[in-house]
Amino acid sequence: ILGRALRDGDALPPERELAAQFDVTRSTVREALRELESLGLVERRRGTKRMVVTRPDAGRVADRVGNALALADVTVREVWETLTILEPPSADAAARHRTTASLARIAAAVERFEREQADTRAAVAGVGEFFRAVAAASGNRVLALAQEPLLLLLEQALQVMIDRVPQARSRIHSAQRRLLASIGDRDAEAARTWMTKHVRDFRRGFEVAGIDVDTPVPPPALP
């Protein structure tokens, strides 16, 4: 599968054939298929008994990494430091490579935050969607995949802080609008600068709220 000899959607042979091919018992085949399924590489689709090849879902991979990071007691400071590494270059690349469609997604995320910010959960989800939209506009899929576990932790951290800082929502919305304008103008330098300020505000919010930045981030919620 990883060698791409089998592609997404290809059906695997029946268990009996696999057992004969590899000279193992059917119980061994079932155990192997369960392992592949847990990795997101195969699934049993509705209406068939055959396993088919699938691509691992990005969200599923991110959940695993996010949980592993949470179990390692990753702190707010560590999340913030990683944001400072990933997000400004992401905004820079988005300004250089954005398309009309990807810019529209960023604009929709800004509008969503403005519309739903009074609801804490919706506001936090809107922050995550904005960062995802910017990463998607960069055109770099590796960046988007690497970012996802971090955003799960960011959302958990924001749940703790956002209601304790009265100006947090207005500052988030202002930064999002500045970034949208910079990316829309293809001004990479301005986009990088505003994203740096936006991420810096994340840490500042915790300081204003009186929350120690070395506090471990709560684990991502189970689906």
Side-chain angles (χ1 to χ4, degrees):
I1 293 170
L2 295 179
R4 312 304 285 159
L6 292 173
R7 311 291 293 189
D8 187 29
D10 287 350
L12 298 184
E15 289 180 5
R16 188 185 303 277
E17 290 184 24
L18 288 171
Q21 178 180 344
F22 293 102
D23 193 24
V24 295
T25 64
R26 290 184 67 177
S27 63
T28 299
V29 169
R30 291 191 190 102
E31 182 61 31
L33 291 175
R34 278 194 292 270
E35 179 68 17
L36 290 172
E37 190 172 16
S38 72
L39 294 172
L41 297 176
V42 300
E43 69 177 12
R44 198 183 307 277
R45 292 183 177 166
R46 184 175 299 177
T48 178
K49 295 182 179 180
R50 300 273 291 277
M51 286 286 193
V52 298
V53 175
T54 59
R55 292 181 180 176
D57 178 76
R60 189 174 178 182
V61 173
D63 284 341
R64 289 184 175 189
V65 177
N67 287 331
L69 291 172
L71 288 171
D73 292 329
V74 166
T75 65
V76 170
R77 177 179 54 79
E78 290 173 308
V79 171
W80 171 75
E81 288 175 346
T82 310
L83 286 170
T84 65
I85 295 169
L86 289 182
E87 298 307 331
S90 176
D92 181 302
R96 289 183 287 109
H97 301 300
R98 63 88 173 164
T99 63
T100 300
S102 62
L103 184 65
R105 178 178 171 182
I106 298 173
V110 174
E111 291 171 6
R112 172 187 173 181
F113 183 84
E114 182 177 17
R115 184 176 62 251
E116 301 178 352
Q117 61 179 289
D119 180 276
T120 299
R121 287 189 177 276
V124 167
V127 170
E129 172 54 23
F130 177 80
F131 280 116
R132 291 180 182 95
V134 171
S138 77
N140 188 323
R141 290 175 294 174
V142 175
L143 175 61
L145 286 170
Q147 174 198 58
E148 188 59 29
L150 180 67
L151 293 183
L152 295 179
L153 296 179
L154 171 63
E155 290 171 358
Q156 290 303 109
L158 280 174
Q159 290 275 5
V160 176
M161 178 269 283
I162 195 168
D163 289 333
R164 296 170 64 173
V165 181
Q167 66 270 35
R169 286 169 168 80
S170 63
R171 291 185 69 87
I172 289 170
H173 185 54
S174 176
Q176 287 183 349
R177 294 193 66 83
R178 295 276 191 169
L179 280 158
L180 173 62
S182 300
I183 293 169
D185 291 342
R186 299 191 185 276
D187 189 337
E189 182 178 353
R192 179 185 283 267
T193 297
W194 274 106
M195 184 61 84
T196 300
K197 293 178 179 178
H198 188 32
V199 171
R200 187 185 303 135
D201 253 9
F202 170 63
R203 175 168 180 156
R204 178 61 179 156
F206 276 84
E207 293 170 345
V208 170
I211 301 171
D212 186 353
V213 293
D214 287 316
T215 300
V217 177
L222 293 174

